[in-house]
Amino acid sequence: MTVIKCISPVDGSVYAERETMPLAAAQAVVARAKKAQKAWAKRPLDERIQLVLKGVARVNEMADEIVPEIAWQMGRPVRYGGEFKGFNERSNYVAEIAGSSLAPIVIEDSAKFERRIEREPHGVVFVIAPWNYPYMTAINTIAPALMAGNVVIIKHAAQTLLVGERLVRAFNEAGVPEDVFQNVFLDHDTTSALIAGNSFDFVNFTGSVEGGRSIERAAAGTFTPVGLELGGKDPGYVMEDADLDAAVDTLMDGATYNSGQCCCGIERVYVNEKLYDAFVEKSVAWVSNYKLGNPLDPETTLGPMAHKRFAATVRSQIADAVAKGAKALVDPKLFPADDGGAYVAPQVLVDVDHSMEFMTEETFGPAVGIMKVKSDEEALALMNDCKYGLTVSLWTKDSERAARIARDLETGTVFQNRADYLDPALCWTGVKETGRGGSLSVIGFHNLTRPKSYHFRKA
């Protein structure tokens, strides 16, 4: 048995700690979940949906506790008020489409035959949730999984240690049975042992590429379906006919909001040579307006990164790029709160290229590189020159042009004139080392269930 500690980026103190479960105790949690699943799945769909929505509402009622708790755990400023907008939007949307998404596909219903395909829940869904958007990322799977008749066991990241506990408490208080939605604190070895032991019927993991590889290794040979959302290095492309101010505002926000710790955050931008100088100038001014500081201060607009080791990666990538010829344009004197630890000043780099790790490896911090391009072909080649593929943001008034480029992009989602947004009506998915599977939309429901065919010949 070990102790998991959440080291707060606010001041480096131990904000929370929990003892991990021994394997036998974790297996008992799984056994209770399996026992509860059949009865949960037999409840009417509308009843399951309403209980989930009551759980969501109960989370909202905890806002005064949750907002500062998030700030202490992972550093997001309290002025932004938590994740309730996206949390609610996603929950409400999957509730609206649950009936149609899970409805049988009727092929024939005649005097001779009844042929249909139904969706059945997998059973026990294991959610391993990340720290960067601890509520929104978790609800992507929790809400549709429970609505579809699965039971859910959640293991949250150490950096947001209290989130799984709070989610389960809220849902249980709202009427979701205790064995239907459970929280666990597990070390890596116990997690791997449970997966390897075929404990779960579906595993959803959001986190690092290496974490995803560990999940796949543990699941090897069990035939357990696995959904993975892993690394990213999302690009933006600003064409010569783009709305310059809108592009700067959206792309710089996408690059730096939440201290750049967003799965679909913008990490590299390619700008047509005709707009390049103006785009860079406006971007540096935009980023320079942040106030870096304690996230509990309502005046703070940029908090610390979640952990000083994440900040070290950002600084290392920037230093390597500068050593190879890049220029950092944001004046560090504007950010006296940068302490060399978790508090990191935002940065814009130019004279960058793909020989630099800063432009090819995930940074996951408040820093972005901007490159000049001459054509769509050059921009397309650079955007695809990446081992990740979650989203791409295209900026042009010409939708046909955007569509032509989009067809050749190696990514999960293509945006035109927006960025860094998860539309619950669309499938959230990635390619290459960003992962596999998909959440939300009707496809998310299909990934959380299995098809079962009925072929009845009537006597």
Side-chain angles (χ1 to χ4, degrees):
M1 185 183 299
T2 58
V3 175
I4 302 174
K5 295 182 179 182
C6 168
I7 307 299
S8 174
V10 175
D11 59 6
S13 65
V14 176
Y15 180 68
E17 55 186 307
R18 295 290 187 273
E19 289 187 349
T20 60
M21 285 184 172
L23 180 59
Q27 289 170 330
V29 168
V30 174
R32 292 197 299 273
K34 286 183 181 292
K35 186 176 181 181
Q37 191 270 323
K38 295 294 184 184
W40 174 251
K42 287 180 180 177
R43 292 198 186 198
L45 174 59
D46 285 345
E47 183 180 327
R48 297 196 303 267
I49 291 171
Q50 290 308 310
L51 283 170
V52 169
L53 292 179
K54 287 179 181 178
V56 169
R58 183 71 188 100
V59 172
N60 278 260
E61 291 169 359
M62 298 174 173
D64 289 345
E65 299 168 82
I66 286 174
V67 171
E69 200 170 73
I70 289 175
W72 277 107
Q73 289 179 95
M74 55 75 62
R76 187 182 308 126
V78 295
R79 69 178 288 132
Y80 297 123
E83 303 167 24
F84 298 104
K85 181 180 178 182
F87 184 81
N88 296 335
E89 180 182 46
R90 298 171 192 190
S91 303
N92 291 335
Y93 184 78
V94 295
E96 290 173 11
I97 68 166
S100 59
S101 299
L102 298 170
I105 301 171
V106 178
I107 309 300
E108 181 181 358
D109 187 7
S110 68
K112 292 184 177 181
F113 286 98
E114 183 182 346
R115 296 183 294 143
R116 68 184 187 278
I117 304 166
E118 294 190 358
R119 308 297 313 185
E120 289 203 343
H122 286 302
V124 180
V125 172
F126 186 37
V127 176
I128 307 175
W131 52 263
N132 61 322
Y133 283 93
Y135 285 90
M136 287 199 295
T137 51
I139 205 65
N140 291 350
T141 304
I142 292 167
L146 290 173
M147 290 176 189
N150 299 286
V151 294
V152 174
I153 296 172
I154 184 171
K155 172 190 178 296
H156 226 293
Q159 197 62 49
T160 41
L161 191 61
L162 305 182
V163 174
E165 196 173 64
R166 185 173 285 283
L167 280 168
V168 166
R169 175 185 146 199
F171 276 60
N172 291 164
E173 288 177 358
V176 175
E178 290 185 359
D179 292 342
V180 168
F181 187 23
Q182 301 179 77
N183 177 65
V184 291
F185 299 107
L186 304 174
D187 60 27
H188 294 314
D189 289 343
T190 304
T191 300
S192 295
L194 288 170
I195 295 171
N198 220 0
S199 300
F200 309 109
D201 302 297
F202 185 89
V203 176
N204 189 86
F205 172 80
T206 305
S208 70
V209 173
E210 285 308 310
R213 289 193 175 107
S214 296
I215 299 299
E216 285 203 327
R217 282 194 293 269
T222 66
F223 307 112
T224 303
V226 173
L228 302 171
E229 185 194 329
L230 310 175
K233 192 72 181 176
D234 289 4
Y237 172 34
V238 182
M239 297 169 229
E240 70 278 2
D241 68 335
D243 182 327
L244 179 61
D245 289 336
V248 168
D249 185 63
T250 301
L251 292 173
M252 290 305 103
D253 181 68
T256 55
Y257 181 77
N258 203 38
S259 296
Q261 299 166 133
C262 180
C263 301
C264 58
I266 297 297
E267 297 208 358
R268 51 198 175 110
V269 182
Y270 306 99
V271 184
N272 182 274
E273 59 186 356
K274 294 179 181 178
L275 290 184
Y276 177 80
D277 290 340
F279 183 89
V280 169
E281 181 181 359
K282 287 175 178 286
S283 293
V284 172
W286 197 101
V287 170
S288 297
N289 281 327
Y290 269 118
K291 180 181 178 182
L292 176 67
N294 189 315
L296 297 165
D297 180 351
E299 298 300 314
T300 293
T301 56
L302 192 71
M305 294 190 66
H307 198 284
K308 62 182 180 180
R309 72 175 183 274
F310 306 148
T313 296
V314 177
R315 292 190 176 96
S316 175
Q317 286 191 7
I318 291 173
D320 175 71
V322 170
K324 292 177 178 176
K327 293 179 182 177
L329 299 183
V330 176
D331 185 354
K333 293 178 183 177
L334 296 172
F335 300 94
D338 187 326
D339 62 354
Y343 289 83
V344 179
Q347 192 53 268
V348 173
L349 269 63
V350 295
D351 295 344
V352 289
D353 60 48
H354 282 215
S355 71
M356 302 168 184
E357 192 176 90
F358 182 75
M359 292 298 286
T360 58
E361 292 290 341
E362 187 170 43
T363 303
F364 220 60
V368 62
I370 304 175
M371 284 182 68
K372 183 190 298 183
V373 295
K374 294 181 178 180
S375 67
D376 291 350
E377 291 73 22
E378 182 184 6
L380 179 63
L382 288 166
M383 287 188 283
N384 283 342
D385 182 29
C386 184
K387 61 185 178 182
Y388 306 111
L390 184 58
T391 78
V392 173
S393 178
L394 302 178
W395 287 82
T396 176
K397 296 181 177 69
D398 187 342
S399 293
E400 290 185 5
R401 181 182 181 186
R404 286 196 304 271
I405 296 169
R407 280 190 284 271
D408 289 325
L409 284 167
E410 298 163 359
T411 190
T413 295
V414 183
F415 295 109
Q416 181 189 357
N417 300 330
R418 78 177 312 175
D420 192 23
Y421 173 71
L422 194 159
D423 183 342
L426 301 177
C427 183
W428 193 243
T429 186
V431 300
K432 298 191 271 192
E433 289 192 14
T434 290
R436 60 181 172 135
S439 60
L440 298 174
S441 77
V442 62
I443 294 172
F445 272 109
H446 288 182
N447 284 334
L448 289 164
T449 55
R450 63 179 181 85
K452 186 174 185 178
S453 294
Y454 291 78
H455 192 148
F456 289 3
R457 182 176 183 177
K458 297 179 180 178

